[in-house]
Amino acid sequence: MEKNLKKFWPIFVLPTMIAFFIGFILPFIMGIYLSFCDFTTVTDAKFIGLKNYVLALGDAIFKHSFWYTAAFALVSLLIINIIAFALALALTKKLKGTNIFRTIFFMPNLIGGIVLGYIWQLIFSGILSQYSMAINLDSTLGFWGLIILVCWQQIGYMMIIYIAGLQSIPEDMMEAAEIDGANRIQKLFKIIIPMMMPSITICTFLSITNGFKLFDQNLALTAGEPAKMSEMMALNIFNTFYGRSGFEGVGQAKAVLFFILVVLIGLVQLRITRNKEVEQ
């Protein structure tokens, strides 16, 4: 029976592979080609070489969006993972109501980014209006508003991953550490964190890539205001492609550069954290 199934497995996989090729591989290849073209639609693309990339790299607003996004990704990475890890430690203790708290913390992750953006825009507007301020009139306020929004959305998700990692630590190892006289700090840094490195790898990868790819929340909360100073990279690419006539090729070139950047950062992060796993 198993031999017969092995003979036919390519037939079962074929529909998925065809869909993957049509929905991802083909558009990806076409997108790379169009980044070297001047076009308004796919049918009128004219090859112009590296001109789009020169314009993209010379765009001061695109450079600002990169540094703004990089700062956002770094700050959100630290805050999300520290708080999520602390919550996971607290909610793996034998306390009453831990399942309820896990559910409550995870629920914001179920809400869409656009909806979250408008919800928090109302909240911030109500608070800041008391001080004659507005979140879309100050890029610093927009930055921290986005940090609060994203942390509120993603902490619960990362917490669940950390809880799974904590529950996989053998209890006899913790008991042996207690018998040897290890205090809480020693157990945390000598046993828990080293044993949690696979979970840390996953959470840091998701946090940093999500930070760079943020779009919906940025669009709904600040829309890049004031004067595109709170515009992150994904929103900048969107506005270039759809908001500036004749700049479709430049927007596509920015998208390719953005893809390369996120892939490189993700690979470096995975390399660093996985080396820690091997060492442990």
Side-chain angles (χ1 to χ4, degrees):
M1 184 66 177
E2 291 182 2
K3 291 182 179 180
N4 291 333
L5 288 174
K6 288 181 180 179
K7 290 180 181 179
F8 292 105
W9 75 264
I11 298 175
F12 299 128
V13 174
L14 188 61
T16 303
M17 294 302 297
I18 292 173
F20 182 72
F21 178 79
I22 295 173
F24 181 79
I25 300 297
L26 189 60
F28 180 75
I29 296 171
M30 182 63 72
I32 293 176
Y33 169 71
L34 289 174
S35 69
F36 295 98
C37 298
D38 182 20
F39 69 96
T40 52
T41 64
V42 176
T43 56
D44 67 355
K46 180 182 177 181
F47 186 82
I48 58 171
L50 295 173
K51 183 178 178 181
N52 289 331
Y53 287 92
V54 173
L55 291 173
L57 293 172
D59 186 347
I61 296 175
F62 184 59
K63 292 177 182 177
H64 170 79
S65 70
F66 164 74
W67 292 112
Y68 193 85
T69 305
F72 173 86
L74 179 60
V75 173
S76 63
L77 168 71
L78 295 173
I79 295 176
I80 288 172
N81 285 278
I82 291 172
I83 296 178
F85 189 83
L87 287 173
L89 285 173
L91 295 178
T92 48
K93 304 295 183 183
K94 295 179 180 179
L95 302 173
K96 292 183 179 180
T98 54
N99 289 333
I100 296 174
F101 283 110
R102 291 179 191 181
T103 303
I104 292 171
F105 285 122
F106 182 77
M107 283 178 64
N109 189 69
L110 303 177
I111 305 174
I114 289 288
V115 176
L116 276 179
Y118 287 126
I119 290 172
W120 279 97
Q121 185 186 65
L122 292 172
I123 294 171
F124 289 133
S125 295
I127 296 171
L128 294 174
S129 63
Q130 304 297 319
Y131 305 95
S132 300
M133 302 168 69
I135 196 167
N136 59 349
L137 296 179
D138 189 324
S139 61
T140 302
L141 288 176
F143 178 87
W144 289 108
L146 285 168
I147 290 290
I148 293 170
L149 186 160
V150 171
C151 289
W152 188 75
Q153 181 185 25
Q154 295 185 12
I155 282 173
Y157 184 79
M158 303 305 170
M159 176 197 71
I160 295 298
I161 297 174
Y162 283 130
I163 287 174
L166 285 168
Q167 291 176 337
S168 67
I169 299 175
E171 290 186 9
D172 57 352
M173 186 178 293
M174 299 298 292
E175 291 172 359
E178 290 181 5
I179 293 170
D180 290 338
N183 57 36
R184 292 182 180 179
I185 301 298
Q186 289 173 327
K187 286 191 290 185
L188 177 64
F189 287 98
K190 298 296 184 181
I191 298 176
I192 295 175
I193 291 179
M195 295 295 293
M196 288 281 291
M197 281 310 300
S199 297
I200 293 172
T201 297
I202 295 170
C203 289
T204 51
F205 176 79
L206 291 175
S207 298
I208 199 164
T209 53
N210 288 341
F212 271 92
K213 295 187 299 180
L214 194 76
F215 173 75
D216 295 1
Q217 298 89 329
N218 188 201
L219 177 64
L221 188 65
T222 68
E225 298 298 332
K228 301 185 183 299
M229 289 296 98
S230 67
E231 187 179 72
M232 299 180 71
M233 291 186 74
L235 183 58
N236 178 272
I237 293 167
F238 176 84
N239 288 334
T240 302
F241 194 96
Y242 293 103
R244 301 176 67 182
S245 178
F247 278 76
E248 291 84 359
V250 178
Q252 191 63 43
K254 288 181 178 181
V256 173
L257 292 171
F258 180 56
F259 168 78
I260 294 170
L261 175 68
V262 173
V263 169
L264 288 175
I265 291 173
L267 290 175
V268 169
Q269 178 270 321
L270 285 174
R271 181 68 179 270
I272 292 171
T273 51
R274 281 181 175 171
N275 282 343
K276 296 290 184 180
E277 292 178 36
V278 172
E279 290 173 7
Q280 301 300 335

